Amino acid sequence: MIRGVAIASLVTLLMLVLYLPAVTPPAAFFERVRSEYSAHGATWGRSLAYRALEDAMAMIERPVSAPLMNEASAQQGKAATAAGQQFDTVSRRLLDSDYLRAFNALALLAGFRLAVLAQLAPGLFLLATAYVVDGLARRWVKGREFSQHHPEVWTGSVCCVCIVCCAGIISSVLPVAMPLALLPSLTGCAFFAVGFAIANYPDGQTRN
């Protein structure tokens, strides 16, 4: 069951990420970044929003917009053969396509939202520590009381973690208005499910 949920979540996420740039203009993603930059600046502080935007720009600066050939290789190809010129023309058209521009904009939006989440990492780390310690403590108490663990609860908790993580990534790429607390809330739900899974982790042959 866990494997099926994980595969379904990944396939859904991949299809959505590849589909969105095909139906959404780059301006929609950029407008969403500008709007959320102002909103996060008013809520969390301008310095946090600015650092998050810098991190997002640094993340997408290299991989998506990098040319298919470096400049020296391109020049050698054009000078050597007509095939090199043709390849350079095709690659330039590909890099200038609306789809890749939209994909760049999608990556910027996702990077900005995840960078804001990373700026809130200290508080989220404390929350994660509390849930993990709580799960370990409940597991220890069950062991002393000789209480049985629940494999079904453990399976459901792990599936919940997969679904929440997938929902968080989907929320980071959708070019629509999102509550500012959505990603931190989903992260907290994932930590809660992890703590629950720790408390009910089955031993030995009882694990599915």
Coordinates of all heavy atoms in Angstrom, one line a residue, residues 88-154:
D88 N 22.7 24.2 -33.4 CA 22.7 25.5 -32.7 C 21.4 26.2 -32.9 O 20.8 26.7 -31.9 CB 23.9 26.3 -33.1 CG 24.0 27.6 -32.2 OD1 24.3 27.5 -31.0 OD2 23.8 28.7 -32.8
T89 N 20.9 26.2 -34.1 CA 19.6 26.9 -34.4 C 18.5 26.2 -33.7 O 17.6 26.9 -33.1 CB 19.4 26.9 -35.9 OG1 20.5 27.6 -36.6 CG2 18.1 27.6 -36.2
V90 N 18.5 24.9 -33.7 CA 17.4 24.1 -33.1 C 17.4 24.3 -31.6 O 16.4 24.5 -30.9 CB 17.5 22.6 -33.5 CG1 16.5 21.8 -32.6 CG2 17.2 22.4 -34.9
S91 N 18.6 24.2 -31.0 CA 18.7 24.4 -29.6 C 18.3 25.8 -29.1 O 17.7 26.0 -28.1 CB 20.2 24.1 -29.1 OG 21.1 25.0 -29.7
R92 N 18.7 26.8 -29.9 CA 18.3 28.2 -29.6 C 16.8 28.4 -29.6 O 16.2 29.0 -28.8 CB 19.0 29.1 -30.5 CG 18.8 30.6 -30.2 CD 19.3 30.9 -28.8 NE 20.7 30.5 -28.6 CZ 21.3 30.4 -27.4 NH1 20.6 30.7 -26.3 NH2 22.5 30.0 -27.3
R93 N 16.2 27.8 -30.6 CA 14.7 27.8 -30.7 C 14.1 27.1 -29.5 O 13.0 27.6 -29.0 CB 14.2 27.2 -32.0 CG 14.5 28.0 -33.3 CD 14.0 27.3 -34.5 NE 14.3 28.1 -35.7 CZ 14.1 27.6 -36.9 NH1 13.6 26.4 -37.1 NH2 14.4 28.4 -38.0
L94 N 14.6 26.0 -29.1 CA 14.1 25.3 -28.0 C 14.2 26.1 -26.7 O 13.3 26.2 -25.9 CB 14.8 24.0 -27.8 CG 14.4 23.1 -26.6 CD1 12.9 22.7 -26.8 CD2 15.3 21.9 -26.5
L95 N 15.4 26.7 -26.5 CA 15.6 27.5 -25.3 C 14.7 28.8 -25.3 O 14.4 29.3 -24.2 CB 17.1 27.9 -25.2 CG 18.0 26.7 -24.9 CD1 19.5 27.2 -25.0 CD2 17.7 26.1 -23.5
D96 N 14.4 29.3 -26.4 CA 13.5 30.5 -26.5 C 12.0 30.2 -26.6 O 11.2 31.1 -26.8 CB 13.9 31.3 -27.8 CG 15.3 31.9 -27.6 OD1 15.8 32.1 -26.5 OD2 15.9 32.2 -28.6
S97 N 11.7 28.9 -26.4 CA 10.3 28.5 -26.6 C 9.5 29.0 -25.3 O 10.0 29.2 -24.3 CB 10.1 27.0 -26.7 OG 10.6 26.4 -25.5
D98 N 8.1 29.2 -25.6 CA 7.3 29.6 -24.5 C 7.2 28.6 -23.4 O 7.0 28.9 -22.2 CB 5.9 29.8 -25.0 CG 5.8 31.1 -25.9 OD1 6.7 31.9 -25.8 OD2 4.9 31.1 -26.8
Y99 N 7.3 27.3 -23.7 CA 7.2 26.2 -22.7 C 8.4 26.4 -21.7 O 8.2 26.3 -20.5 CB 7.2 24.9 -23.4 CG 7.1 23.7 -22.4 CD1 5.9 23.3 -22.0 CD2 8.2 23.1 -21.9 CE1 5.7 22.3 -21.1 CE2 8.1 22.0 -21.0 CZ 6.9 21.6 -20.6 OH 6.8 20.6 -19.6
L100 N 9.6 26.5 -22.2 CA 10.7 26.6 -21.3 C 10.7 27.9 -20.5 O 11.1 28.0 -19.4 CB 12.1 26.5 -22.1 CG 12.5 25.1 -22.4 CD1 13.9 25.1 -23.0 CD2 12.5 24.2 -21.1
R101 N 10.2 29.0 -21.1 CA 10.1 30.2 -20.3 C 9.1 30.0 -19.2 O 9.3 30.4 -18.1 CB 9.6 31.4 -21.2 CG 10.6 31.9 -22.2 CD 10.2 33.3 -22.7 NE 11.0 33.7 -23.8 CZ 10.7 33.6 -25.1 NH1 9.5 33.1 -25.5 NH2 11.5 34.1 -26.0
A102 N 7.9 29.3 -19.5 CA 7.0 29.1 -18.5 C 7.5 28.1 -17.4 O 7.3 28.2 -16.2 CB 5.7 28.5 -19.1
F103 N 8.4 27.1 -17.9 CA 9.0 26.2 -16.9 C 9.9 26.9 -16.0 O 10.0 26.7 -14.8 CB 9.7 25.1 -17.7 CG 10.1 23.9 -16.8 CD1 9.2 22.9 -16.6 CD2 11.3 23.9 -16.1 CE1 9.5 21.8 -15.8 CE2 11.6 22.8 -15.3 CZ 10.7 21.8 -15.1
N104 N 10.7 27.9 -16.6 CA 11.6 28.7 -15.7 C 10.8 29.5 -14.7 O 11.2 29.6 -13.5 CB 12.3 29.7 -16.6 CG 13.8 29.3 -16.8 OD1 14.4 28.7 -16.0 ND2 14.4 29.7 -18.0
A105 N 9.7 30.1 -15.1 CA 8.8 30.8 -14.2 C 8.2 30.0 -13.1 O 8.1 30.3 -12.0 CB 7.7 31.6 -15.0
L106 N 7.8 28.7 -13.5 CA 7.3 27.8 -12.5 C 8.4 27.4 -11.5 O 8.1 27.4 -10.3 CB 6.8 26.5 -13.2 CG 6.2 25.4 -12.4 CD1 5.1 24.7 -13.1 CD2 7.3 24.4 -12.0
A107 N 9.6 27.2 -12.0 CA 10.7 26.9 -11.1 C 11.0 28.0 -10.1 O 11.3 27.8 -8.9 CB 11.9 26.5 -11.9
L108 N 10.8 29.3 -10.6 CA 11.1 30.4 -9.7 C 10.0 30.5 -8.7 O 10.3 30.8 -7.5 CB 11.1 31.7 -10.6 CG 11.2 33.0 -9.8 CD1 12.5 33.0 -9.1 CD2 11.1 34.2 -10.7
L109 N 8.7 30.3 -9.1 CA 7.6 30.3 -8.1 C 7.8 29.2 -7.0 O 7.7 29.5 -5.8 CB 6.3 30.2 -8.8 CG 5.0 30.1 -7.9 CD1 4.9 31.3 -7.1 CD2 3.8 29.8 -8.7
A110 N 8.1 28.0 -7.5 CA 8.3 26.9 -6.5 C 9.5 27.2 -5.6 O 9.5 26.9 -4.4 CB 8.4 25.6 -7.3
G111 N 10.6 27.7 -6.2 CA 11.8 27.9 -5.4 C 11.5 29.0 -4.4 O 12.0 28.9 -3.3
F112 N 10.8 30.0 -4.8 CA 10.5 31.1 -3.8 C 9.6 30.6 -2.7 O 9.9 30.9 -1.5 CB 9.7 32.3 -4.5 CG 9.3 33.4 -3.6 CD1 10.3 34.2 -3.0 CD2 8.0 33.6 -3.3 CE1 9.9 35.2 -2.2 CE2 7.6 34.6 -2.5 CZ 8.6 35.4 -1.9
R113 N 8.6 29.8 -3.0 CA 7.7 29.3 -1.9 C 8.5 28.4 -1.0 O 8.4 28.4 0.3 CB 6.5 28.6 -2.5 CG 5.5 29.6 -3.1 CD 4.4 28.8 -3.8 NE 3.3 29.7 -4.2 CZ 2.3 29.4 -5.0 NH1 2.2 28.2 -5.5 NH2 1.4 30.3 -5.3
L114 N 9.4 27.5 -1.5 CA 10.1 26.6 -0.7 C 11.2 27.4 0.1 O 11.6 27.0 1.2 CB 10.7 25.5 -1.6 CG 9.7 24.6 -2.2 CD1 10.4 23.6 -3.1 CD2 8.9 23.8 -1.2
A115 N 11.8 28.4 -0.5 CA 12.8 29.2 0.1 C 12.2 30.0 1.3 O 12.8 30.1 2.4 CB 13.4 30.2 -0.8
V116 N 10.9 30.4 1.2 CA 10.3 31.0 2.4 C 10.1 30.0 3.5 O 10.3 30.3 4.7 CB 8.9 31.6 2.0 CG1 8.1 32.0 3.2 CG2 9.1 32.8 1.0
L117 N 9.7 28.8 3.1 CA 9.6 27.7 4.1 C 10.9 27.4 4.7 O 11.0 27.2 6.0 CB 9.1 26.4 3.4 CG 8.7 25.2 4.3 CD1 7.5 25.6 5.2 CD2 8.4 24.0 3.5
A118 N 12.0 27.5 4.0 CA 13.4 27.2 4.5 C 13.7 28.3 5.5 O 14.4 28.1 6.5 CB 14.4 27.1 3.4
Q119 N 13.3 29.6 5.3 CA 13.6 30.6 6.2 C 12.9 30.4 7.5 O 13.3 31.0 8.6 CB 13.1 32.0 5.6 CG 13.9 32.4 4.4 CD 15.3 32.7 4.6 OE1 15.7 33.3 5.7 NE2 16.2 32.3 3.7
L120 N 11.8 29.7 7.5 CA 11.1 29.4 8.8 C 11.5 28.1 9.4 O 10.9 27.6 10.3 CB 9.6 29.3 8.5 CG 8.9 30.5 7.8 CD1 7.4 30.2 7.5 CD2 9.0 31.7 8.8
A121 N 12.6 27.5 8.9 CA 13.1 26.2 9.3 C 13.4 26.1 10.8 O 13.1 25.1 11.4 CB 14.4 25.8 8.5
P122 N 14.0 27.1 11.5 CA 14.2 27.0 12.9 C 13.0 26.6 13.7 O 13.0 25.7 14.6 CB 14.8 28.3 13.3 CG 15.4 28.9 12.1 CD 14.5 28.4 11.0
G123 N 11.9 27.3 13.5 CA 10.7 27.0 14.2 C 10.1 25.6 13.8 O 9.6 24.9 14.7
L124 N 10.2 25.3 12.5 CA 9.7 24.0 12.1 C 10.6 22.9 12.6 O 10.1 21.8 12.9 CB 9.7 24.0 10.6 CG 8.7 24.9 9.9 CD1 8.9 24.9 8.4 CD2 7.3 24.6 10.2
F125 N 11.9 23.1 12.8 CA 12.8 22.1 13.4 C 12.4 21.8 14.8 O 12.4 20.6 15.3 CB 14.2 22.6 13.3 CG 15.2 21.6 14.0 CD1 15.6 20.5 13.3 CD2 15.7 21.9 15.2 CE1 16.4 19.6 13.9 CE2 16.6 21.0 15.8 CZ 17.0 19.9 15.2
L126 N 12.0 22.8 15.6 CA 11.6 22.6 17.0 C 10.3 21.8 17.0 O 10.1 20.9 17.8 CB 11.3 24.0 17.7 CG 12.6 24.8 17.9 CD1 12.2 26.1 18.6 CD2 13.6 24.0 18.8
L127 N 9.4 22.1 16.1 CA 8.1 21.3 16.0 C 8.4 19.9 15.6 O 7.8 19.0 16.2 CB 7.2 22.0 14.9 CG 5.8 21.3 14.8 CD1 5.0 21.5 16.0 CD2 5.1 22.0 13.6
A128 N 9.3 19.7 14.7 CA 9.6 18.3 14.3 C 10.2 17.5 15.4 O 9.9 16.4 15.7 CB 10.6 18.3 13.1
T129 N 11.1 18.2 16.2 CA 11.8 17.5 17.3 C 10.7 17.2 18.4 O 10.8 16.1 19.0 CB 12.8 18.5 18.0 OG1 13.8 18.8 17.0 CG2 13.5 17.8 19.1
A130 N 9.8 18.0 18.6 CA 8.7 17.7 19.6 C 7.9 16.5 19.2 O 7.6 15.6 20.0 CB 7.8 19.0 19.8
Y131 N 7.5 16.4 17.9 CA 6.7 15.3 17.4 C 7.5 14.0 17.5 O 7.0 12.9 17.8 CB 6.2 15.6 16.0 CG 5.0 16.4 16.0 CD1 4.9 17.5 15.1 CD2 3.9 16.2 16.8 CE1 3.8 18.3 15.0 CE2 2.8 17.0 16.7 CZ 2.7 18.1 15.8 OH 1.6 18.9 15.8
V132 N 8.8 14.0 17.1 CA 9.6 12.8 17.1 C 9.8 12.4 18.6 O 9.7 11.2 18.8 CB 11.0 13.1 16.4 CG1 11.9 11.9 16.7 CG2 10.8 13.3 14.9
V133 N 10.1 13.3 19.5 CA 10.3 12.9 20.9 C 9.0 12.3 21.4 O 9.0 11.3 22.2 CB 10.8 14.1 21.7 CG1 10.7 13.8 23.2 CG2 12.2 14.5 21.3
D134 N 7.9 13.0 21.1 CA 6.6 12.4 21.5 C 6.3 11.0 21.0 O 5.9 10.2 21.7 CB 5.5 13.4 21.1 CG 4.1 12.9 21.5 OD1 3.8 12.9 22.7 OD2 3.3 12.4 20.6
G135 N 6.6 10.8 19.7 CA 6.5 9.5 19.2 C 7.3 8.4 19.9 O 6.9 7.3 20.2
L136 N 8.6 8.8 20.1 CA 9.5 7.9 20.8 C 9.0 7.6 22.2 O 9.1 6.5 22.7 CB 10.9 8.4 20.8 CG 11.6 8.5 19.5 CD1 12.9 9.3 19.6 CD2 11.9 7.1 18.9
A137 N 8.6 8.6 22.9 CA 8.1 8.4 24.3 C 6.9 7.5 24.3 O 6.8 6.6 25.2 CB 7.7 9.8 24.9
R138 N 5.9 7.7 23.4 CA 4.7 6.9 23.4 C 5.1 5.4 23.0 O 4.5 4.5 23.6 CB 3.7 7.4 22.4 CG 3.0 8.6 22.9 CD 1.8 9.0 22.0 NE 2.3 9.5 20.7 CZ 1.6 9.6 19.6 NH1 0.3 9.2 19.6 NH2 2.0 10.1 18.5
R139 N 6.1 5.3 22.2 CA 6.6 3.9 21.8 C 7.2 3.3 23.0 O 7.0 2.1 23.3 CB 7.5 4.0 20.6 CG 8.0 2.6 20.2 CD 8.9 2.7 18.9 NE 9.4 1.4 18.6 CZ 8.7 0.5 17.9 NH1 7.4 0.8 17.6 NH2 9.2 -0.6 17.6
W140 N 8.0 4.0 23.8 CA 8.6 3.5 25.0 C 7.6 3.1 26.0 O 7.7 2.0 26.7 CB 9.6 4.6 25.6 CG 10.3 4.1 26.8 CD1 11.5 3.4 26.8 CD2 10.0 4.3 28.1 NE1 11.9 3.2 28.1 CE2 11.0 3.7 28.9 CE3 9.0 5.0 28.8 CZ2 11.0 3.8 30.3 CZ3 8.9 5.0 30.2 CH2 10.0 4.4 30.9
V141 N 6.6 3.9 26.2 CA 5.5 3.6 27.2 C 4.8 2.3 26.7 O 4.5 1.4 27.6 CB 4.5 4.8 27.3 CG1 3.3 4.3 28.1 CG2 5.2 5.9 28.0
K142 N 4.5 2.2 25.4 CA 3.8 1.0 25.0 C 4.7 -0.3 25.2 O 4.2 -1.3 25.6 CB 3.6 1.1 23.5 CG 2.4 2.0 23.1 CD 2.1 1.9 21.6 CE 0.9 2.7 21.2 NZ 0.7 2.7 19.8
G143 N 6.0 -0.1 25.1 CA 6.9 -1.3 25.3 C 6.9 -1.7 26.8 O 6.9 -2.9 27.1
R144 N 6.8 -0.7 27.7 CA 6.7 -1.0 29.1 C 5.4 -1.6 29.5 O 5.3 -2.4 30.5 CB 7.1 0.2 29.9 CG 8.5 0.7 29.7 CD 9.5 -0.3 30.1 NE 10.9 0.1 29.9 CZ 11.5 0.1 28.7 NH1 10.9 -0.5 27.7 NH2 12.8 0.5 28.6
E145 N 4.4 -1.2 28.8 CA 3.0 -1.7 29.1 C 2.7 -3.0 28.4 O 1.6 -3.6 28.5 CB 2.0 -0.7 28.8 CG 2.0 0.5 29.7 CD 1.0 1.6 29.3 OE1 0.4 1.4 28.1 OE2 0.7 2.5 30.0
F146 N 3.6 -3.5 27.5 CA 3.4 -4.7 26.7 C 2.2 -4.5 25.8 O 1.5 -5.5 25.5 CB 3.3 -5.9 27.5 CG 4.5 -6.2 28.4 CD1 4.5 -5.9 29.7 CD2 5.7 -6.7 27.8 CE1 5.6 -6.1 30.5 CE2 6.8 -7.0 28.6 CZ 6.7 -6.7 30.0
S147 N 2.0 -3.3 25.3 CA 0.9 -3.0 24.4 C 1.3 -3.3 23.0 O 2.5 -3.1 22.6 CB 0.5 -1.5 24.5 OG 0.0 -1.2 25.8
Q148 N 0.4 -3.8 22.2 CA 0.7 -4.1 20.8 C 0.7 -2.9 20.0 O -0.1 -2.0 20.2 CB -0.4 -5.1 20.3 CG -0.3 -6.5 20.8 CD -1.2 -7.5 20.1 OE1 -2.1 -7.0 19.4 NE2 -1.1 -8.7 20.4
H149 N 1.7 -2.9 19.0 CA 1.7 -1.8 18.0 C 0.6 -2.1 17.0 O 0.2 -3.2 16.8 CB 3.1 -1.7 17.4 CG 4.1 -1.4 18.4 ND1 4.2 -0.2 19.1 CD2 5.2 -2.1 18.9 CE1 5.2 -0.2 19.9 NE2 5.8 -1.3 19.8
H150 N 0.3 -1.1 16.2 CA -0.7 -1.2 15.2 C -0.1 -1.0 13.8 O 0.1 0.1 13.4 CB -1.8 -0.2 15.5 CG -2.5 -0.3 16.8 ND1 -3.3 -1.3 17.1 CD2 -2.3 0.4 17.9 CE1 -3.7 -1.2 18.4 NE2 -3.1 -0.1 18.9
P151 N 0.1 -2.1 13.1 CA 0.7 -2.0 11.7 C -0.2 -1.2 10.8 O 0.3 -0.4 9.9 CB 0.8 -3.4 11.2 CG 0.8 -4.3 12.5 CD -0.1 -3.5 13.5
E152 N -1.5 -1.3 11.0 CA -2.4 -0.5 10.1 C -2.3 1.0 10.3 O -2.3 1.8 9.4 CB -3.9 -0.9 10.4 CG -4.2 -2.4 10.1 CD -3.8 -3.3 11.2 OE1 -3.4 -2.8 12.3 OE2 -3.9 -4.5 11.0
V153 N -2.1 1.4 11.6 CA -1.9 2.8 11.9 C -0.6 3.3 11.3 O -0.5 4.4 10.8 CB -2.0 3.0 13.4 CG1 -1.7 4.5 13.8 CG2 -3.4 2.7 14.0
W154 N 0.4 2.4 11.5 CA 1.8 2.8 10.9 C 1.7 3.0 9.4 O 2.2 3.9 8.9 CB 2.8 1.7 11.3 CG 4.1 1.9 10.7 CD1 5.1 2.8 11.1 CD2 4.7 1.3 9.5 NE1 6.2 2.7 10.3 CE2 6.0 1.8 9.3 CE3 4.2 0.3 8.7 CZ2 6.8 1.4 8.3 CZ3 5.0 -0.1 7.6 CH2 6.3 0.4 7.5

